[in-house]
């Protein structure tokens, strides 16, 4: 079975792009399954189901969704194999901009949208920087000049990525994405022993474990103190 990881900020168009791309891949019905990772709730399950795409979901609750992802990706792969899928696509919303669920040697797609602002590419960490393919959506809403500036900013932070413009509404560009993904298909039976492309942020502190009180005596584990500096200093 092939595995593809898709990640991107909330509402960037991941689901729209995945649906259009699966439709363009020309595979048999039920050949491609999706696993959606989110925090508290998602409507994506219904969206995939309405298009006849088999889907599973995992909600991380109080955990960082990417930490949850990495603890459950092997289970997702085995679920896909059990159901006889040729490909599993995982969708996860990168909420903290610091994590990324990408795995070495597994296709990694980052979806970001033109509306998120031209400085956004600089603010997104490994989720954008270590993707193999960056899909830029919502080009229909901005001008040609804005599309070009945005794409240039993306290629500055990730010079090796293949950048593709996909319209999540019309599906324009999805055929090319499907083709690109199919070129890189790999047959895997497990991701055990595989490695993430980038380490997750350390998350073990008293607040991760449920502490609610403020004050030094309640702050245990991984604590880093802020340095605010001189507010009137000009840089
Ligand atoms: N105009 C326009 N709208 C788009 C495009 N792609 C997606 N959308 C719309 O953007 C909204 C969010 O799209 P989704 O595909 O749900 O985004 P997502 O990244 O999967 O969102 P979450 O899973 O909630 O993080 C939807 O209303 C889509 O119809 C696009 O290329 N152009
Ligand atoms: Zn989605
Ligand atoms: Zn995180």
């Amino acid at each position: 079975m092939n595995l593809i990881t898709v990640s991107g900020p909330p509402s960037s168009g991941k689901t729209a792009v995945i649906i259009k791309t699966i439709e363009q891949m020309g595979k048999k019905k039920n050949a491609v399954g999706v696993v959606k990772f989110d925090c508290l709730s998602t409507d994506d399950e219904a969206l995939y189901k309405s298009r006849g795409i088999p889907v599973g979901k995992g909600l991380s609750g109080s955990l960082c969704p990417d930490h949850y992802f990495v603890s459950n990706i092997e289970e997702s792969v085995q679920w896909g194999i059990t159901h006889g899928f040729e490909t599993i696509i995982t969708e996860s919303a990168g909420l903290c901009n610091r994590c990324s669920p990408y795995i070495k040697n597994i296709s990694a797609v980052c979806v970001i949208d033109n509306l998120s602002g031209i400085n956004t590419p600089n603010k997104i960490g490994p989720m954008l920087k270590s993707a193999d393919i960056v899909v830029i959506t919502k080009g229909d809403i901005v001008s040609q000049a804005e599309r070009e500036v945005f794409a240039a900013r993306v290629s500055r932070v990730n010079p090796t990525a293949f950048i593709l413009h996909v319209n999540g509404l019309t599906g324009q560009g999805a055929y090319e994405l499907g083709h690109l993904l199919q070129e890189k298909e790999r047959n895997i039976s497990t991701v055990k022993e595989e490695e993430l492309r980038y380490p997750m942020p350390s998350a073990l502190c008293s607040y991760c474990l449920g502490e609610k009180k403020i004050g030094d005596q309640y702050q245990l584990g991984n604590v880093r103190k802020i340095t605010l500096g001189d507010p009137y200093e000009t840089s």
Side-chain angles (χ1 to χ4, degrees):
M1 191 189 67
N2 185 38
L3 173 64
I4 298 167
T5 51
V6 177
S7 169
S11 293
S12 55
K14 298 177 293 297
T15 304
V17 167
I18 292 168
I19 288 173
K20 295 288 180 197
T21 305
I22 292 174
E23 287 171 358
Q24 292 290 337
M25 278 167 126
K27 293 203 186 259
K28 288 195 304 278
K29 193 172 158 53
N30 295 344
V32 185
V34 174
V35 179
K36 166 71 182 183
F37 287 90
D38 217 320
C39 297
L40 297 176
S41 77
T42 176
D43 298 325
D44 283 357
E45 219 184 349
L47 273 172
Y48 287 118
K49 281 185 180 159
S50 73
R51 304 299 182 106
I53 298 168
V55 61
K57 90 171 161 194
L59 297 177
S60 62
S62 60
L63 296 181
C64 161
D66 287 318
H67 286 245
Y68 178 76
F69 173 94
V70 70
S71 315
N72 289 286
I73 184 62
E74 173 64 8
E75 284 74 5
S76 305
V77 166
Q78 296 313 319
W79 176 82
I81 291 171
T82 305
H83 287 87
F85 302 141
E86 277 174 36
T87 298
I88 278 276
I89 301 179
T90 62
E91 181 196 331
S92 58
L95 301 169
C96 74
N97 282 340
R98 164 59 181 79
C99 289
S100 90
Y102 308 143
I103 301 164
K104 287 179 187 167
N105 302 316
I106 299 289
S107 288
V109 182
C110 178
V111 179
I112 55 174
D113 73 83
N114 272 296
L115 298 181
S116 61
I118 54 165
N119 291 323
T120 294
N122 293 326
K123 297 178 189 171
I124 302 178
M127 182 169 71
L128 180 62
K129 291 186 179 127
S130 65
D132 301 311
I133 301 171
V134 178
V135 170
I136 307 177
T137 58
K138 306 189 189 178
D140 52 315
I141 306 180
V142 299
S143 67
Q144 173 72 17
E146 286 170 293
R147 279 197 293 277
E148 285 174 16
V149 171
F150 194 81
R153 297 278 177 114
V154 168
S155 62
R156 205 187 295 162
V157 300
N158 186 343
T160 58
F162 201 101
I163 298 176
L164 264 176
H165 295 267
V166 178
N167 183 319
L169 298 183
T170 65
Q172 193 180 8
Y175 175 80
E176 288 75 9
L177 177 58
H179 187 75
L180 210 61
L181 291 170
Q182 275 174 303
E183 267 182 357
K184 295 178 168 211
E185 258 176 34
R186 274 187 63 201
N187 193 10
I188 56 159
S189 55
T190 177
V191 284
K192 265 190 205 161
E193 306 297 329
E194 298 287 342
E195 225 178 277
L196 290 171
R197 294 189 187 192
Y198 206 85
M200 299 284 168
S202 46
L204 204 65
C205 79
S206 45
Y207 297 110
C208 298
L209 299 171
E211 180 59 67
K212 286 163 94 180
K213 285 218 173 108
I214 297 169
D216 280 347
Q217 70 265 46
Y218 304 109
Q219 297 172 356
L220 304 171
N222 248 313
V223 179
R224 183 180 302 164
K225 287 297 179 184
I226 194 167
T227 311
L228 289 170
D230 178 354
Y232 299 108
E233 200 175 35
T234 49
S235 56

